[in-house]
Amino acid sequence: MTRTRLPAAPAPLDTHHRLLAGWYETRGRADLATHLARHGPVPLDAYPGEAGRQRLVDAVDRSGLRGRGGAGFPTGRKLRAVAAGRRRPTVVVNACEGEPVSGKDHALLTLVPHLVLDGAVLAAHAVGATEIIVCLHEGDALRPLVVAALAERADPVPFRIQPVPRRYVASEESALVNLINTGDPRPTSKPPRPDQRGVRGRPTLVSNVETLAQLALVARHGPDWFRTTGTPDSPGTTLVTVTGAVRRPGVHEVACGTPIGHALELAGVAPDAQAVLVGGVAGAWLPLPFAAGVPLAHRELADAGATLGVGALFVLPAAACGVAETARILRYLAGESAAQCGPCMFGLPALADDLTRIAHGGADARIDARLRRRLAVVEGRGACRHPDGAVRVAASALHTFASDVRRHRDGRPCVHIGQPRVPLRPGDWSTP
């Protein structure tokens, strides 16, 4: 069965529900009146003048909020870096959600758009920005919803919408800045980082939709409230998109540090599922049942060899081939690269070729060894982090599906090789 993107999956009301508390209670989209009744107006009056801006940055810093767009960089540090620039900053809202197995940003903009827009206004206030640019994929069905939400508001900072091509790397932060500046949606080498010199040479804050929604709550309730859930290293709640071998694919809000197994139970995981792809297609495979006990927190996931990424969990059913799925992912990532550095132009296709040969039983020990050497050569050498994600997912597959790799390499590919499971185009979520 194939599903299109879903809003947040229904779940019992929980004390950890913050971003989606209104949805869990009413099952309805929050227009401006509903939003104001729950959250009140944007609390700009609580942070007046230059001293107020600094207090807002300090509050976000003390909250421990980390970016929810993939890298998990501390949001307070990012705000402080942008605010320290000599020119008037710009805020860019990354609403592209180019990750094929994620739907959290779509859920937020569908259900609580004003919480996201509040966060953008507050971020602009914190850094002293005079414009906010919302980046959405070309032809995205969310655009009318965002336009309608903006029309309900009277904000002190003007918004405009920037269309972005539907390419995986086009939503990387330097790619968004490059697109706005030149029309070329490809990442650029760093430094300078966008927070140093971004849109029109100005310090630029590029922030994910969920990060801004969380910032809006921190500004209202304070850093101590934010830290009442989650872990010391990963405080607050996070949105996880659970798809694949589950009965209820969708988006769930859980406390950071929640075991992966609990998130899978919320979605109705299949009892015979064999592995979980954590963090997105450039994340990492973890085997079940081991993955069930791993907390959804940055430090703990790193210790397990994975990354929180965009909070996506794709569950691989028993009747699927993890080796072949990873070969498909590598082919996808190679095709979606910017093709502007050696690792992307030559390394990723070579990795995909090697793993494809293994998946189809047309390889031997030499191909296996060559693949592992190539992984070490590609890692850390790209113009952006795109190749590193491909290396991570490939290396995790070699570990998680080690026995399958040996059988494939020995000419005994599994019977499920021709049944693709991981959806590699945003908007199509496959479930068995």
Side-chain angles (χ1 to χ4, degrees):
M1 180 173 67
T2 301
R3 293 180 181 268
T4 55
R5 278 190 189 198
L6 304 177
L13 189 63
D14 187 289
T15 56
H16 296 313
H17 295 154
R18 296 175 169 182
L19 298 172
L20 299 177
W23 158 249
Y24 288 129
E25 289 177 5
T26 68
R27 303 296 191 260
R29 179 177 183 267
D31 59 12
L32 183 59
T34 304
H35 170 76
L36 292 175
R38 175 173 288 277
H39 296 289
V42 186
L44 294 173
D45 290 346
Y47 304 96
E50 188 60 37
R53 297 179 197 274
Q54 184 60 52
R55 284 196 300 106
L56 179 54
V57 173
D58 289 343
V60 175
D61 207 5
R62 295 200 316 275
S63 76
L65 173 62
R66 301 175 68 149
R68 300 297 200 258
F73 192 80
T75 306
R77 285 170 55 187
K78 211 171 184 180
L79 288 171
R80 205 176 299 283
V82 173
R86 295 184 178 181
R87 301 182 62 187
R88 183 68 70 178
T90 295
V91 169
V92 173
V93 180
N94 188 350
C96 291
E97 196 155 55
E99 170 56 56
V101 292
S102 177
K104 67 184 184 68
D105 296 339
H106 184 278
L108 284 173
L109 287 171
T110 300
L111 301 174
V112 288
H114 292 287
L115 196 61
V116 176
L117 299 177
D118 283 359
V121 171
L122 286 159
H125 177 68
V127 302
T130 54
E131 66 173 343
I132 300 171
I133 302 172
V134 181
C135 290
L136 281 167
H137 277 145
E138 295 170 346
D140 198 320
L142 287 172
R143 182 185 176 105
L145 297 178
V146 175
V147 170
L150 289 172
E152 292 183 286
R153 304 169 62 92
D155 290 311
V157 183
F159 283 81
R160 73 176 176 89
I161 295 177
Q162 171 68 51
V164 179
R166 287 184 176 274
R167 299 279 296 180
Y168 186 85
V169 298
S171 57
E172 192 269 346
E173 65 172 9
S174 70
L176 294 177
V177 169
N178 195 31
L179 172 66
I180 295 167
N181 285 340
T182 70
D184 181 1
R186 292 186 295 177
T188 56
S189 298
K190 303 172 184 178
R193 301 183 306 271
D195 59 72
Q196 298 169 317
R197 188 166 71 240
V199 174
R200 297 189 296 280
R202 300 177 176 186
T204 300
L205 177 74
V206 182
S207 200
N208 169 260
V209 161
E210 184 188 347
T211 310
L212 293 171
Q214 297 278 12
L215 189 155
L217 294 180
V218 171
R220 286 178 165 92
H221 303 292
D224 294 337
W225 169 86
F226 188 76
R227 283 186 171 276
T228 57
T229 193
T231 71
D233 181 60
S234 300
T237 65
T238 191
L239 298 182
V240 290
T241 308
V242 190
T243 56
V246 296
R247 295 191 302 277
R248 297 181 296 276
V251 179
H252 299 266
E253 183 173 11
V254 299
C256 291
T258 296
I260 288 175
H262 177 68
L264 300 187
E265 289 171 5
L266 291 175
V269 64
D272 61 348
Q274 59 171 308
V276 184
L277 180 58
V278 182
V281 295
W285 291 103
L286 294 179
L288 286 168
F290 166 76
V294 178
L296 285 162
H298 291 279
R299 184 174 297 164
E300 289 81 355
L301 282 167
D303 290 343
T307 176
L308 183 60
V310 295
L313 301 174
F314 178 85
V315 183
L316 190 70
C321 174
V323 181
E325 289 300 305
T326 309
R328 289 180 58 243
I329 289 172
L330 289 179
R331 187 72 63 194
Y332 169 79
L333 293 174
E336 290 290 306
S337 80
Q340 61 181 354
C341 66
C344 278
M345 291 178 66
F346 308 111
L348 298 192
L351 297 180
D353 287 344
D354 284 349
L355 195 57
T356 298
R357 289 186 64 181
I358 293 173
H360 288 271
D364 54 27
R366 291 173 300 174
I367 301 298
D368 189 343
R370 184 176 71 187
L371 171 59
R372 296 172 192 272
R373 288 196 305 272
R374 283 173 165 170
L375 291 173
V377 170
V378 169
E379 187 175 18
R381 300 189 182 184
C384 68
R385 302 304 294 266
H386 183 67
D388 294 347
V391 168
R392 178 170 51 237
V393 73
S396 71
L398 294 177
H399 176 74
T400 297
F401 308 114
S403 59
D404 294 333
V405 169
R406 287 192 295 271
R407 283 194 296 270
H408 282 254
R409 189 188 63 200
D410 295 340
R412 295 179 289 127
C414 68
V415 296
H416 307 299
I417 191 169
Q419 302 174 21
R421 297 287 185 167
V422 180
L424 294 179
R425 291 295 164 192
D428 290 323
W429 288 350
S430 299
T431 57

